[in-house]
Amino acid sequence: EDDVTVTDDTRLRAIVPTAKFLLEKGANVILCSHFGRPKGEVIETGKNGRLDPVVEPLKALLGVDVHKVSDCVGPEAEEAASHLTKGQVLLLENTRFHAGETKNDPELAAGLGKLADYFVMDAFGTAHRAHSSTAGVA
């Protein structure tokens, strides 16, 4: 196997019912996730890398285009989020590229929080973690 092919889409399929429900109600959906344990470093590919490999599977599962940005916070993410229109999906980059993610950094949580009006936690397997993208943003 290469290091950019999704070999197990179980977690992607798990978010489909919630994402489709929100899209059907006219919401814009901003997805954020972590992948691996890059420990605050940007890693281009592999098991701790960018989320690029999940874009095409998400498009197929959701039946809509998925726009991805190269960070989960900051100007690019803010601009992309502000330009979403009804029923669009934005995928943020791997939250663990920020060292503060696993430390529940309030600045990172605030940066994530300002991208959307509502937060839906649909990651049961990580809901118990006190991370910026789970507890902090809520």
Side-chain angles (χ1 to χ4, degrees), residues 43-113:
I43 299 173
E44 294 301 323
T45 62
K47 65 181 181 176
N48 297 307
R50 292 195 178 274
L51 295 176
D52 295 342
V54 304
V55 173
E56 291 304 319
L58 277 173
K59 284 181 184 181
L61 289 166
L62 295 174
V64 298
D65 192 35
V66 175
H67 176 70
K68 184 185 165 293
V69 291
S70 63
D71 202 348
C72 61
V73 292
E76 181 189 13
E78 291 170 21
E79 177 149 347
S82 73
H83 287 95
L84 286 173
T85 58
K86 182 179 176 179
Q88 290 188 316
V89 176
L90 173 64
L91 174 63
L92 304 176
E93 188 52 89
N94 191 344
T95 58
R96 287 193 179 164
F97 285 174
H98 291 268
E101 161 65 346
T102 58
K103 298 176 176 92
N104 198 9
D105 176 59
E107 283 186 42
L108 180 57
L112 290 165

Side-chain angles (χ1 to χ4, degrees), residues 34 96 99-106 108-109 121 125-138:
H34 72 267
R96 287 193 179 164
E101 161 65 346
T102 58
K103 298 176 176 92
N104 198 9
D105 176 59
L108 180 57
M121 175 51 137
T126 61
H128 66 284
R129 295 183 180 148
H131 291 179
S132 295
S133 66
T134 56
V137 74

Side-chain angles (χ1 to χ4, degrees), residues 6-36:
V6 175
T7 56
D8 181 358
D9 69 353
T10 303
R11 290 186 178 152
L12 297 178
R13 285 184 286 113
I15 64 108
V16 169
T18 302
K20 281 191 171 184
F21 173 82
L22 294 168
L23 291 168
E24 288 166 4
K25 297 296 181 186
N28 308 323
V29 175
I30 300 173
L31 302 171
C32 77
S33 183
H34 72 267
F35 185 55

